[in-house]
Each structure stands twice: as C-alpha cells, then as structure tokens.
Amino acid sequence: MHRVVVLALDGVYPFELGIPKRIFGNAGDRYEVLTCSADGGPVRTCADFTIAVEHGPQALRAADTVVIPPCDLALSTTPLPRQVADALALIRPGTRIVSICTGAFVLAAAGLLDGRPATTHWQLAETFRERFPRVALDPEVLFVDDGDILTSAGAASGVDVCLHVVRADYGSEVANRVARSCVVPPWRDGGQAQYIEQPVPDAATTGTAPTRQWALENLHLPLTLAELAEHARMSRRTFARKFGNEVGMSPGRWLIAQRVARARHLLESSDLSVDHIAGRVGFATGTSLRQHFHAALGVAPLAYRRTFRVTADGKAVA
C-alpha cells in the first residue's frame, strides 16, 4: 500500500488539509493516508480552531508521498524554522513531494525548488518571485508536475493535483472513479488565468504571459519564434530572453511540452488517430508526435492510450 503522509504546519488551511484523505482515501485500498505535525503536537489552523493529529514527524520517514498543504507564510522564512527544517529532513531521498497552494513557499524556502518549475496561488505570485528568484514560477497553471516534486495553485487545485497523482499511479479509470465519488471533474482544462478577476493587462507591458496564452489557443499552428515575438511586440532576442526568465525554458521547448500535454489529453479522451492528434496539437506529422512523445514520456502514444484511455462504460481500452 502506498503511504501518503500529510504534514500539517502551523496556520494550516482546513479545506486543503482534508483534500489528500478525500482523494486518496477514495481510491480503494491503494493508499494509506496519515497526518502528522512537525512536533507531534496539536496544530493551529487558519480558522478559529486547533486540530489534534495522531502522528509526529517520524511518520515522514516511511512516506512514499508527502503532501504539504498551505500554512502560515511566516514558516517559509530562509532559513526555515528549526522544527520545520528537521521535519523535512526526515523525508527519504526520492520521495514524491506535493504542495498545495502556499505549501510551495515552504518547499522553496527549503531550497527544493531551485532551478525547477513550480506554481502557487496567483495572488501571491509576485511575492513568491521576489523571495525565490531561482524558481521558475508559472502562476497560470493549476499544477506543475516536475517528477518527484509537484506544486499546485490555490485551494481546489489541490484536488486537481491529487487526482493527477492517482491517474499517474493507477490510470484514468481509477482517477475517474475517485472524481465521481467526490463529485468533482476528473480533469479541468485551462489554468489559473480563468479565475483572475482583474482585466488582462496589455501584452506590451506584461512580459510573455499573454503570448503564452495565445499560443495555447493556437497550438495547432506551426508557431515560429518570429510569430511569438511579433505577437508579444518584441524582438526575437528580447522575447526569447524574457520567456526564458519567466518560464525557465526556451519557447521551443515550452511549445513541445504543451503539444505533448495536449496530445496526452486527446489520447485519453478521444478515439482520434495519432496522425489526427498530431495535426490538432501542431506537430507536422504523426512521426514527429511519436518521437517527441517518446522522448518526453518514454512510451509510444498508442501504448500510452492503452494504459490511460477509458471508454464510455468506464473500461480501459484493450
């Protein structure tokens, strides 16, 4: 059984604290979910109550996945408070770590996100960038999967990332069943941008974010660097530099990653052929899609579909 340990830190948000148990606990007997605190004692929440947990930080030693819900930002100082740092030090190398919302601040303060892509709540994006400039923050997505570390945006995106983990571990059939049980969608399209209240800023003054959104809406097109730079009203050199600073990778690499991600979604959710999907996501040929897909995921598109495609009656594709 896969053991998930949730680390509840001072000022924890009750809603997000309950997400791991709600999602992983509905996956049958596949996961065991434990909750611990940094010192084994009660934990003050951000609400008007305190919670008692049954486990101390030693539970982290045996974790296969560790989840850090949002907490008091005062705990994400550099260096970290002693109890928090000692608790994180108990996590075995290679353990998967998932943060929800401002839990990413704790991981960043621990140095675990340096040089890596990550996300957090869009309202705190500028604060995060100022405090942790070495992290390639993307505040527009619902979650970032960077292998052994996953970060998610605010509140309900914790549901998204936990369902993503179930899907990665056991396939779409199990994840869809969990989603139905929890009365939530198994997959949400789009990112945090759809939840931001203020109007979209002028593209000429806000870096590359509007152009990235435009590229996602036109992913079926070839989209050269020159076209991206023209949309952003920048020279190609300036656009490439700003893009790399904001995203942590070149425009070309980012486009390939987005095309592969869209192809994964279509392989799981449709019966379209590989060649047809290639055209939908902007790869010139099915062969190109197969090459990039295998390079990114280590499997061929059809092998991926056999693992993750679920038919209307809930059965996996043979």
Side-chain angles (χ1 to χ4, degrees), residues 30 37 62 66 85 97 108 117 175 185 209 233 249 269 283 287 293-296 310:
R30 294 174 175 85
S37 64
V66 172
I97 303 177
R233 301 177 186 176
M249 63 181 71
S269 62
F283 285 118
T287 298
F293 199 93
H294 193 279
V310 177

Side-chain angles (χ1 to χ4, degrees), residues 78-273:
T78 305
L80 285 168
R82 179 65 179 274
Q83 283 187 335
V84 177
D86 289 348
L88 294 178
L90 297 174
I91 301 173
R92 294 173 300 174
T95 299
R96 181 169 57 197
I97 303 177
V98 180
S99 71
I100 301 175
C101 194
T102 57
F105 278 74
V106 176
L107 298 185
L112 297 176
L113 297 180
D114 285 355
R116 304 182 71 151
T119 193
T120 190
H121 197 293
W122 63 268
Q123 289 180 317
L124 294 167
E126 290 308 313
T127 301
F128 189 97
R129 283 197 177 106
E130 290 172 2
R131 293 178 58 177
F132 309 111
R134 295 182 180 179
V135 182
L137 184 73
D138 184 353
E140 297 187 3
V141 297
L142 294 175
F143 62 84
V144 171
D145 181 348
D146 194 37
D148 59 331
I149 295 183
L150 296 89
T151 52
S152 62
S157 63
V159 174
D160 296 308
V161 74
C162 287
L163 281 173
H164 172 74
V165 168
V166 173
R167 190 158 140 253
D169 288 348
Y170 296 106
S172 290
E173 184 176 4
V174 174
N176 290 348
R177 190 160 60 244
V178 171
R180 286 193 295 270
S181 175
C182 296
V183 199
V184 296
W187 179 274
R188 284 198 292 167
D189 289 320
Q192 293 193 74
Q194 60 190 310
Y195 303 105
I196 300 175
E197 295 179 356
Q198 53 264 58
V200 177
D202 181 73
T205 61
T206 58
T208 66
T211 297
R212 277 181 274 141
Q213 183 61 39
W214 173 79
L216 290 175
E217 294 168 358
N218 294 277
L219 211 53
H220 59 287
L221 301 175
L223 298 179
T224 64
L225 176 60
E227 289 171 325
L228 294 173
E230 181 180 359
H231 182 274
R233 301 177 186 176
M234 302 177 191
S235 69
R236 281 183 288 182
R237 176 177 295 182
T238 298
F239 178 80
R241 176 177 55 79
K242 287 193 173 184
F243 194 101
N245 290 339
E246 294 174 13
V247 180
M249 63 181 71
S250 69
R253 284 183 57 199
W254 180 84
L255 275 173
I256 290 173
Q258 304 313 307
R259 297 189 201 282
V260 169
R262 185 74 58 82
R264 289 176 67 177
H265 178 61
L266 290 173
L267 286 165
E268 295 179 20
S269 62
S270 76
D271 294 318
L272 296 173
S273 69

